[in-house]
Amino acid sequence: MDLFYNAKTVRLRSHHEKYLVAEEDEESISQDRNGSARNSRWVVESIPGSDHTIRLKSCYGKYLTASNQPFLLGMTGRKVLQTKPNRLDSSIEWEPIRDGSQVRLKTRYGNYLRANGGLPPWRNSVTHDIPHRTSTQDWIVWDVDMLESMDHNDVKRMDDLNPKGVSDHGQGKTDHLDSFGSDLSSVSNGSPEKYKRQESNDSGTYSPPKHDGRLIYYHVADDYGGVDDGVEGSMFTFKGHSVVELTLKLEEETGLEDIIVCTRSPLNGKLYPLRLQLPPNNATMHIVVVPSSSTMAEEFTKMRFS
């Protein structure tokens, strides 16, 4: 609970460097890279009589809800929605469990809020589940950005509702701002010493801080190594330093296994497996992912042993 201590409005950032957002249909939940959007902000509500669970309310006044609806038939993951139930039950209650500087959000029934990667329909989806694969363990951990902390009156009201809760409220700096205003102070990972003013761009909207690392743009090739260049590829920030690390990261992003990471020759446009090292100085890379089961992968194997 300490990452939500005194928190009034927060953002949640997934392992994929995307934010938990409430979609405009006022029902769906997804991930998006735009952390300045109003629908990426969540109001934190304490639960009277409980000092270890919270509710999260979207900008549409609806709660983050662990539903019983399967995300896909035959899969274990279930949909996470935004709802406004007539009776506030356990489906909208989340238990924050600290994981280093991050947090896992656990449902009453033992599942975790999970940010999915991979190909559609999994890409950018959010479910609640228990991850069974080692490569997806990080999909249930979230960074917490506190955008607004509770003022004295908020704390007093919470103490009146929950007298058994933490009593040392009000220590340190607090800011009272409109819940979804644009002039917000951010505390990364809920640490008071990390308060800093968010920078704005020329239009006056918030620009998320740049992360260390390089940008990776990628397409997944078809059976013969072709890609649709007319479709914008996916993108993520990569902080690793080796081809092996990049391969593992792309397997997480795509949901594929035993992939071949390729680049295009600037001379003839042909695909070549990336085997040696990454370009220096965190230069942006454009990658083509070749599935191991494809005809193109078989051709690479023949070339390697010919």
Side-chain angles (χ1 to χ4, degrees):
M1 279 290 285
D2 55 339
L3 292 180
F4 290 90
Y5 175 72
N6 267 8
K8 188 173 182 178
T9 308
V10 298
R11 277 188 317 221
L12 298 175
R13 188 171 69 252
S14 74
H15 173 69
H16 308 293
E17 299 294 339
K18 298 177 182 179
Y19 295 93
L20 183 75
V21 296
E23 293 290 347
E24 293 180 357
D25 62 8
E26 300 187 21
E27 178 181 356
S28 307
I29 299 292
S30 66
Q31 305 169 69
D32 195 277
R33 293 193 185 278
N34 183 9
S36 64
R38 177 171 172 260
N39 60 348
S40 69
R41 301 170 185 178
W42 296 85
V43 172
V44 180
E45 287 188 1
S46 297
I47 298 175
S50 173
D51 58 1
H52 63 277
T53 55
I54 59 172
R55 302 185 189 109
L56 295 169
K57 183 183 285 188
S58 74
C59 62
Y60 304 109
K62 296 189 174 183
Y63 291 98
L64 187 70
T65 305
S67 80
N68 287 322
Q69 302 177 34
F71 180 70
L72 290 175
L73 292 177
M75 299 296 182
T76 58
R78 297 188 177 275
K79 290 183 178 180
V80 174
L81 305 171
Q82 42 176 325
T83 68
K84 194 171 185 179
N86 293 327
R87 180 175 175 272
L88 302 182
D89 56 25
S90 60
S91 68
I92 62 174
E93 296 177 3
W94 301 87
E95 179 184 357
I97 299 175
R98 185 159 189 144
D99 190 334
S101 62
Q102 298 172 305
V103 69
R104 289 176 287 152
L105 290 170
K106 186 179 180 181
T107 70
R108 181 64 65 89
Y109 304 102
N111 284 354
Y112 293 93
L113 184 69
R114 171 172 151 160
N116 298 309
L119 300 174
W122 289 104
R123 180 179 296 159
N124 294 334
S125 66
V126 178
T127 56
H128 64 98
D129 197 357
I130 300 175
H132 299 289
R133 293 175 55 188
T134 303
S135 61
T136 61
Q137 293 293 319
D138 290 338
W139 293 12
I140 63 171
V141 295
W142 300 80
D143 287 300
V144 180
D145 295 335
M146 185 162 65
L147 303 179
E148 183 187 8
S149 57
M150 291 191 293
D151 65 11
H152 175 75
N153 292 329
D154 293 321
V155 173
K156 186 177 185 304
R157 281 195 297 270
M158 298 316 301
D159 284 340
D160 290 342
L161 289 171
N162 188 16
K164 295 182 180 180
V166 179
S167 60
D168 296 327
H169 292 298
Q171 296 179 359
K173 180 180 178 180
T174 59
D175 295 310
H176 180 54
L177 299 168
D178 176 45
S179 295
F180 299 105
S182 59
D183 187 18
L184 298 171
S185 294
S186 174
V187 181
S188 178
N189 295 331
S191 302
E193 67 272 13
K194 294 184 180 179
Y195 267 104
K196 59 183 178 181
R197 180 64 56 186
Q198 296 177 343
E199 297 179 359
S200 299
N201 59 23
D202 292 339
S203 64
T205 58
Y206 167 65
S207 296
K210 294 182 178 180
H211 299 284
D212 294 334
R214 73 174 78 230
L215 291 179
I216 302 292
Y217 292 87
Y218 71 91
H219 286 86
V220 176
D222 61 22
D223 192 51
Y224 294 96
V227 297
D228 186 355
D229 292 326
V231 177
E232 183 180 2
S234 300
M235 180 270 290
F236 62 89
T237 301
F238 177 62
K239 300 179 182 180
H241 304 285
S242 70
V243 176
V244 172
E245 290 176 291
L246 178 58
T247 302
L248 292 174
K249 178 65 175 177
L250 283 164
E251 286 181 343
E252 287 186 11
E253 288 286 325
T254 62
L256 300 173
E257 296 182 352
D258 300 324
I259 63 173
I260 301 174
V261 179
C262 299
T263 57
R264 288 192 182 278
S265 167
L267 299 177
N268 55 25
K270 290 184 178 181
L271 291 180
Y272 291 93
L274 188 64
R275 301 195 187 280
L276 299 177
Q277 58 187 16
L278 305 182
N281 302 323
N282 281 340
T284 296
M285 297 182 66
H286 294 267
I287 296 296
V288 177
V289 174
V290 175
S292 59
S293 59
S294 66
T295 300
M296 191 71 207
E298 294 178 6
E299 292 295 323
F300 284 143
T301 302
K302 292 177 182 178
M303 292 169 56
R304 185 177 182 183
F305 292 102
S306 60

